[in-house]
Amino acid sequence: MQTEKIILGIDPGTAVMGFGIISIFKNKIKLLAIDELVMKKEPTHEIKLKKIFDRTLALIDEFHPDEVALEAPFYGKNVQSMLKLGRAQGVAMAASLHREVPITEYSPKKVKMAITGNGNASKEQVAGMLQNLLNLKEFPTKYLDATDGLAVAVCHSFNLGKADKEKSYTGWESFLKQNPDRIK
């Protein structure tokens, strides 16, 4: 007997967090929700992080995902940007683990490769392919951070049951076991 699986995909960011929620039943992917949390006008980084935590919890409480997939921060030249992205991702991870929802991280390149077949695809190419994959006449959002979050969820659905997932955690214990270098 097949059961429905719900996946929450998150593209973390401190200015904009994009997310998409899908259900998979009998190998068919259905879009449940897609949106963005925009935090550009928030006064401090700490308030942005609290909003990410609260919104992630609210999404989990509303949609009851079986798993959460997150886009891992890409390694850029700006150390401050990397630090902020890492914090945003960490807060989304903490909210997911707080609700005991397993999480998996995917690199941006792996997400793009899974959706378009090209690890260097543009955000517009990813959005166009998602529209085709999900048989949507038009996309319910014009925001590319939201489609990035959806792409992470779809990428995860393609990798369900595969051993080559990048990093998966079922709780704090498994996170700490797989990341001993993060413990000080």
Side-chain angles (χ1 to χ4, degrees):
M1 182 175 115
Q2 281 194 331
T3 59
E4 177 185 43
K5 184 171 280 260
I6 297 174
I7 300 170
L8 165 59
I10 298 175
D11 177 24
T14 54
V16 180
M17 177 182 91
F19 59 88
I21 303 166
I22 58 172
S23 73
I24 297 113
F25 185 68
K26 295 185 178 179
N27 295 323
K28 293 206 189 285
I29 301 172
K30 178 181 170 192
L31 176 65
L32 299 179
I34 183 171
D35 205 351
E36 293 182 332
L37 171 63
V38 179
M39 299 164 286
K40 293 175 184 171
K41 294 183 180 178
E42 297 303 329
T44 67
H45 185 64
E46 295 78 12
I47 289 173
K48 292 176 181 184
L49 294 175
K50 181 177 181 341
K51 286 197 170 283
I52 293 167
F53 187 85
D54 291 344
R55 184 66 172 140
T56 303
L57 285 180
L59 290 167
I60 291 168
D61 291 345
E62 180 179 352
F63 291 96
H64 307 286
D66 299 289
E67 299 185 28
V68 172
L70 294 150
E71 187 170 277
F74 57 91
Y75 299 100
K77 293 179 183 172
N78 187 326
V79 175
Q80 284 299 322
S81 294
M82 275 298 302
L83 180 63
K84 288 179 180 178
L85 276 175
R87 287 176 177 167
Q89 183 199 30
V91 167
M93 289 172 122
S96 302
L97 294 173
H98 181 70
R99 290 289 193 256
E100 298 183 356
V101 180
I103 56 175
T104 304
E105 297 177 83
Y106 294 95
S107 70
K109 218 173 207 21
K110 181 157 183 153
V111 172
K112 291 174 182 181
M113 182 63 89
I115 303 302
T116 68
N118 176 0
N120 296 312
S122 69
K123 287 178 175 273
E124 292 80 8
Q125 289 171 315
V126 170
M129 187 58 80
L130 286 170
Q131 188 173 349
N132 288 334
L133 283 169
L134 299 172
N135 295 318
L136 301 171
K137 289 188 183 357
E138 58 182 62
F139 235 137
T141 183
K142 61 181 184 205
Y143 305 110
L144 295 175
D145 289 298
T147 56
D148 283 352
L150 177 61
V152 177
V154 173
C155 171
H156 185 64
S157 76
F158 293 164
N159 285 284
L160 288 173
K162 292 184 181 173
D164 69 342
K165 287 189 229 176
E166 295 199 356
K167 286 193 177 184
S168 280
Y169 314 110
T170 54
W172 285 114
E173 192 173 308
S174 68
F175 176 82
L176 294 173
K177 190 180 284 184
Q178 291 181 48
N179 295 282
D181 56 315
R182 293 189 181 183
I183 303 168
K184 298 253 180 202

